[in-house]
Amino acid sequence: MFAGLTQILLEQLPLGICVVDRQFKIEVWNYFFADRTAKPAAEVIGQDLLQLFPNQAALLRKKINAVFLLQNASFSSWEHQPHPFEFSSSRPITGEETLMFQDLQFLPVEHDGVIVSVCLVLQDVTALASYIQAERSLKAELEAEHSALTVLNQKLEAAQNQLLQSEKMAAIGQLAAGVAHEINNPIGFISSNLQSLQDYSNKLLQLTDFYEKVVQKIASDKLYQVQRQKWQQLQYEFIKADLPELLNETCEGVERVAAIVRNLKSFSHVDDSEWQYANLITGLENTIKIANNQLKYKVQLHRDFPGNLPEVYCQPMQLNQVFLNLLVNAAQAIEEQGDVYLSATADDNELRLAFRDTGCGIAPENLKRLFEPFFTTKPVGSGTGLGLSLSWSIVQKHHGRIEVSSTVGVGTTFTVILPVRTTTEPAV
Amino acid sequence: MNNLLSSDQRDALQELMNIAMGQAANAMAQLIEVRIILSIPKITAVTPEQLSGVLAEPAVWLTRQSFSGALRGEVLSLQVKAGVEAIAGYLDFGLPLTDKSTEAAVLEVANVLAAACLQGFTSQLELPTRLAAPELYRPKASTVDAAWAITLLMEVEFTLTDTPFDARVVICLDPESVQHLISRLNTMLED
């Protein structure tokens, strides 16, 4: 009964089973092998397995010898040996694969404690292998998509930041325009009143001088003493010296407020000067002359301008404003003595003007806030924080951009990049 | 030996292991026709943390292979990556190895070493076991997350003269098998 069951199992199991002796002579050959090789058991029993499969002989010999020597099983996995026997796929109709994927086990067969044969068990793992391979290619695809998405996400984030920056600038621009308008009128009359005040105070001081002389002429000691007492009581000498100074400082202060207001106005509507084709180098040279008193004592200027630069359709006065800001910034970044290198390059599309200084450099955390209105690292009174944001806005209206690179302690390069052929209207 | 084995038991096991490894060396010499040098087996009791420490080696291929029968456990192998080619040639692998054939060679070497060690060891004890197929082991966590607290670990190092080949085979028994082994050792000591 059991012998019969074993025989049935041997023939029915979905496994290839083949037993060979020490000389590789086949002792058992089940239906699976008979079916796949088209060689019935009767034909192969007693034959040399290695001669039957010359292509696989090396592998089979090695594995079977290992079992006899080590008295333990040896194995072959589909991952490393996909098709030890060249059997066609078990899925000839719907399968994508052409050959059967196989796992092999070489099991020791003992008799009285001695290994007499090796049982080769072949398992058809085509379905599993296809599944795992599909899984792997899916994983690779997913990973590729994931990394593409990551790149996209970064781009999106950059775009969002840029948008945020633009919106912030626009909002501040509107605010600035409103504030500028509101401040402009009072500043106007304060300024003109101050000038009148200066004039009047000069006249009043002249008058007191005149009175003093009159008192001396009268030569009345008593009167003179009374006058001296009053002066001392009111600290007239001090007032006489301090008043013109106070008024001068106040005028300067008002002038500074007026300058800020002018900047704010230009920041909010950079539209008043005329669009024309212009040579930017000419503009830059003119600007250098204006900035000269900030540059001449500490900055050595180096110019590298090729002769054949194209003219650019632009608002020259506005761009000069940009150049002035960049030159003054470069000078202010240099503490004692330094160099500023100006260079221009152009191709068919773009003209690039670089302003490189050997100044103190910009800390990385400040780089991204550089173009924000009112952002400044300069000491109070030296900068309004509007220069670069104004420049940014002007260059943007020219469809251009400003690039910055900086190393703390080494220096900074600002590059203004403008399109050579602007066929469209200026950006709004 | 911590408190798993008495000194008598330990000596007996060490003696058994020495004989077993001599047999393993012979079997391998016949199979791959080159003299492999084996270290003296080291027997220790380890906790999961200590085992993780043993496995935490950089630049090695790690394999695991379970065995069952009269004793149960796993055989782990650590093969220095740079040394795989040196032995793969003796195992009829085409050189230089590709990524795939490197893996195949590592598993082949693991099976040969594990079978040789385990066979020698279990036949001396007369506790027959069977090895399952080896697989590459890539531990996910830095510590082995184990259901056991302490176990017995037998470690042998294999080298090949004048080559960078260097492999360590670690036989780990499950706690139940440790008890089985101890009672077997006691029986042998009484005889």
Side-chain angles (χ1 to χ4, degrees):
Chain A
M1 171 68 198
F2 269 124
L5 180 63
T6 312
Q7 194 56 38
I8 290 168
L9 283 179
L10 192 64
E11 296 303 318
Q12 297 280 340
L13 280 176
L15 296 170
I17 291 174
C18 160
V19 178
V20 294
D21 67 10
R22 206 174 259 277
Q23 279 73 45
F24 309 106
K25 295 273 177 286
I26 298 172
E27 294 174 334
V28 175
W29 186 254
N30 79 340
Y31 173 77
F32 186 99
F33 268 114
D35 179 50
R36 302 302 142 97
T37 57
K39 292 180 197 299
E43 195 181 297
V44 298
I45 298 281
Q47 284 202 38
D48 186 334
L49 178 72
L50 305 188
Q51 282 177 10
L52 218 54
F53 297 99
N55 291 341
Q56 290 77 33
L59 173 79
L60 294 173
R61 179 185 290 114
K62 188 170 73 174
K63 296 283 181 184
I64 291 170
N65 278 340
V67 177
F68 281 114
L69 280 169
L70 301 171
Q71 304 183 32
N72 240 312
S74 57
F75 308 88
S76 158
S77 155
W78 68 268
E79 290 212 60
H80 309 116
Q81 283 284 343
H83 320 291
F85 293 96
E86 280 173 19
F87 296 163
S88 42
S89 165
S90 43
R91 309 190 292 191
I93 308 300
T94 60
E96 299 82 9
E97 65 290 328
T98 51
L99 288 174
M100 181 198 291
F101 288 87
Q102 302 148 29
D103 272 353
L104 292 181
Q105 295 186 40
F106 300 82
L107 307 173
V109 179
E110 285 183 34
H111 189 73
D112 290 338
V114 180
I115 296 179
V116 290
S117 319
V118 168
C119 176
L120 197 164
V121 179
L122 183 157
Q123 191 177 359
D124 176 1
V125 289
T126 306
L128 178 74
S130 299
Y131 178 74
I132 289 178
Q133 282 173 340
E135 198 88 318
R136 278 183 195 151
S137 68
L138 188 68
K139 189 178 166 219
E141 246 172 73
L142 279 177
E143 271 166 7
E145 262 176 48
H146 180 257
S147 64
L149 274 180
T150 310
V151 171
L152 206 63
N153 237 347
Q154 282 165 351
K155 274 191 199 163
L156 197 67
E157 210 172 309
Q160 198 187 15
N161 281 341
Q162 223 164 18
L163 198 66
L164 217 61
Q165 178 82 344
S166 305
E167 276 182 16
K168 192 152 66 176
M169 303 282 258
I172 291 173
Q174 282 180 343
L175 182 72
V179 172
H181 182 77
E182 291 300 325
I183 294 178
N184 206 31
N185 289 336
I187 282 294
F189 64 74
I190 288 173
S191 177
S192 80
N193 288 359
L194 261 179
Q195 273 163 19
S196 305
L197 267 178
Q198 222 169 2
D199 187 30
Y200 296 166
S201 75
N202 276 340
K203 284 178 177 158
L204 281 175
L205 288 176
Q206 281 171 16
L207 192 64
T208 50
D209 283 350
F210 174 73
Y211 284 148
E212 189 189 2
K213 281 176 191 149
V214 170
V215 170
Q216 279 173 352
K217 279 271 193 282
I218 294 169
S220 156
D221 253 2
K222 197 179 171 195
L223 210 54
Y224 187 68
Q225 284 305 324
V226 172
Q227 187 194 37
R228 296 304 303 182
Q229 266 175 8
K230 200 64 188 172
W231 279 13
Q232 273 171 5
Q233 197 187 345
L234 296 176
Q235 295 181 315
Y236 173 73
E237 294 285 1
F238 174 74
I239 293 174
K240 190 180 156 190
D242 199 34
L243 186 61
E245 235 174 85
L246 276 182
L247 283 170
N248 271 338
E249 269 177 33
T250 312
C251 284
E252 271 174 37
V254 168
E255 181 44 45
R256 242 157 64 191
V257 174
I260 293 174
V261 169
R262 273 199 304 277
N263 271 343
L264 282 173
K265 282 175 77 179
S266 359
F267 176 68
S268 50
H269 43 88
V270 191
D271 55 3
D272 31 13
S273 75
E274 208 179 317
W275 285 83
Q276 62 191 86
Y277 278 97
N279 182 337
L280 293 189
I281 301 304
T282 313
L284 180 56
E285 291 291 359
N286 287 336
T287 312
I288 291 169
K289 280 177 204 144
I290 295 168
N292 201 31
N293 69 340
Q294 297 226 32
L295 302 173
K296 60 187 171 189
Y297 296 116
K298 54 178 184 177
V299 172
Q300 179 71 44
L301 271 182
H302 307 264
R303 296 171 172 83
D304 176 17
F305 304 138
N308 57 346
L309 288 175
E311 291 200 331
V312 172
Y313 189 66
C314 64
Q315 292 169 300
M317 292 313 292
Q318 297 289 338
L319 288 181
N320 289 350
Q321 175 79 44
V322 174
F323 302 153
L324 184 65
N325 278 327
L326 295 178
L327 284 169
V328 169
N329 280 350
Q332 287 180 344
I334 293 167
E335 247 171 63
E336 287 178 359
Q337 288 289 321
D339 299 284
V340 172
Y341 297 86
L342 304 173
S343 63
T345 51
D347 58 23
D348 288 348
N349 302 315
E350 287 179 344
L351 189 141
R352 305 167 71 93
L353 275 174
F355 297 70
R356 178 162 76 84
D357 67 60
T358 58
C360 54
I362 302 164
E365 67 269 22
N366 291 337
L367 268 182
K368 60 182 173 215
R369 299 191 58 197
L370 223 48
F371 296 104
E372 248 173 53
F374 302 111
F375 178 76
T376 181
T377 58
K378 292 175 188 169
V380 175
S382 312
T384 56
L386 283 172
L388 278 178
S389 57
L390 178 60
S391 304
W392 185 87
S393 145
I394 292 170
V395 171
Q396 207 195 27
K397 279 178 206 295
H398 284 76
H399 297 282
R401 60 191 193 277
I402 303 181
E403 288 177 358
V404 199
S405 66
S406 183
T407 310
V408 173
V410 176
T412 305
T413 307
F414 282 88
T415 311
V416 178
I417 299 151
L418 295 167
V420 173
R421 292 186 189 133
T422 310
T423 50
T424 54
E425 282 299 295
V428 183
Chain B
M1 193 41 52
N2 309 12
N3 42 16
L4 274 181
L5 296 179
S6 70
S7 67
D8 279 353
Q9 290 165 342
R10 187 221 150 114
D11 289 347
L13 184 58
Q14 183 74 54
E15 188 58 32
L16 274 178
M17 283 296 288
N18 293 351
I19 298 169
M21 290 311 125
Q23 292 175 345
N26 267 336
M28 280 190 299
Q30 286 181 53
L31 184 70
I32 60 179
E33 292 163 353
V34 65
R35 194 75 204 161
I36 288 189
I37 298 148
L38 279 75
S39 70
I40 292 175
K42 203 166 85 187
I43 303 166
T44 43
V46 294
T47 61
E49 290 75 35
Q50 288 168 326
L51 178 62
S52 301
V54 171
L55 301 184
E57 283 255 357
V60 298
W61 287 103
L62 211 55
T63 69
R64 58 176 166 189
Q65 192 168 6
S66 69
F67 59 88
S68 58
L71 292 177
R72 292 154 55 90
E74 287 177 50
V75 185
L76 307 168
S77 84
L78 294 88
Q79 301 175 33
V80 172
K81 286 189 176 175
V84 174
E85 284 223 344
I87 197 166
Y90 291 109
L91 291 166
D92 300 335
F93 280 89
L95 299 180
L97 295 173
T98 62
D99 285 355
K100 270 273 172 262
S101 67
T102 301
E103 284 186 20
V106 166
L107 292 177
E108 181 84 21
V109 171
N111 193 48
V112 168
L113 300 183
C117 291
L118 198 69
Q119 174 56 29
F121 170 61
T122 55
S123 70
Q124 287 294 315
L125 286 167
E126 293 173 24
L127 293 171
T129 57
R130 281 187 190 173
L131 271 170
E135 61 184 35
L136 288 173
Y137 180 35
R138 299 181 174 96
K140 287 198 186 75
S142 57
T143 54
V144 175
D145 186 14
W148 48 272
I150 188 161
T151 194
L152 205 58
L153 180 147
M154 287 156 281
E155 188 180 331
V156 190
E157 188 167 4
F158 297 78
T159 48
L160 212 54
T161 316
D162 296 334
T163 77
F165 175 72
D166 185 346
R168 278 154 66 200
V169 170
V170 182
I171 302 174
C172 304
L173 296 178
D174 79 359
E176 215 174 296
S177 299
V178 173
Q179 292 314 313
H180 203 146
L181 172 71
I182 289 172
S183 63
R184 183 79 202 152
L185 286 172
N186 287 340
T187 317
M188 293 172 88
L189 284 169
E190 281 162 20
D191 288 346

